[in-house]
Amino acid sequence: MEDRVPHCSVCGGVTKPDIVFFGEQLPERFLLHVVDFPMADLLLTLGSSLQVEPFASLTEAVRSSVPRLLMNKDVVGPWARCPRSKDVVQVGDLVRSVEKLVALLGWTEELKALVQRETGKLGGLDG
């Protein structure tokens, strides 16, 4: 972003990414989905330090029999402290790791189409 503060092209106000910054309250919709974790068949965690609560503890919210996949630059959280027998870790570049998973699942063409479609929505704002 070249050290510029992004502004809305319609109202001129400062724009904020759709993330929760450290110290901010989580949106209400977060609590609506916490109940889903005990019913999960698989947990994917991508690109996180797992340092900030309550998100960090969500990795423990799935049943102990559920496989957990961490794709990350480093091994963190429960994968580093107390891994489970079904845990899987893919360490390295996140984009390359996702591309590898997508290829294994046979979804490469679908991912390419999705990236092309979503990039088109940026209207030249992607760099």
Side-chain angles (χ1 to χ4, degrees):
M1 296 206 56
E2 303 165 5
D3 293 325
R4 292 181 295 145
V5 176
H7 289 81
C8 174
S9 60
V10 175
C11 71
V14 175
T15 59
K16 175 188 173 295
D18 190 17
I19 61 170
V20 177
F21 288 109
F22 183 78
E24 286 185 324
Q25 289 288 92
L26 290 169
E28 281 188 36
R29 70 181 185 273
F30 173 82
L31 298 174
L32 298 174
H33 301 290
V34 172
V35 297
D36 295 335
F37 283 82
M39 298 180 289
D41 295 322
L42 173 67
L43 177 73
L44 302 175
T45 303
L46 286 73
S48 175
S49 66
L50 294 176
Q51 294 289 318
V52 180
E53 293 294 342
F55 185 81
S57 61
L58 290 177
T59 59
E60 301 293 338
V62 295
R63 298 180 315 277
S64 61
S65 61
V66 170
R68 301 180 303 178
L69 170 60
L70 172 69
M71 293 180 154
N72 215 25
K73 182 177 152 186
D74 302 300
V75 181
V76 296
W79 287 270
R81 292 189 310 272
C82 52
R84 297 177 182 175
S85 64
K86 293 186 177 183
D87 282 353
V88 177
V89 175
Q90 172 67 40
V91 176
D93 179 77
L94 184 56
V95 172
R96 301 284 179 258
S97 295
V98 169
E99 288 172 344
K100 184 177 178 179
L101 176 62
V102 165
L104 287 169
L105 294 169
W107 297 345
T108 302
E109 292 307 313
E110 289 91 337
L111 178 62
K112 285 180 183 177
L114 175 66
V115 169
Q116 186 174 12
R117 186 173 64 245
E118 294 302 313
T119 302
K121 291 179 182 178
L122 294 174
L125 300 176
D126 60 334

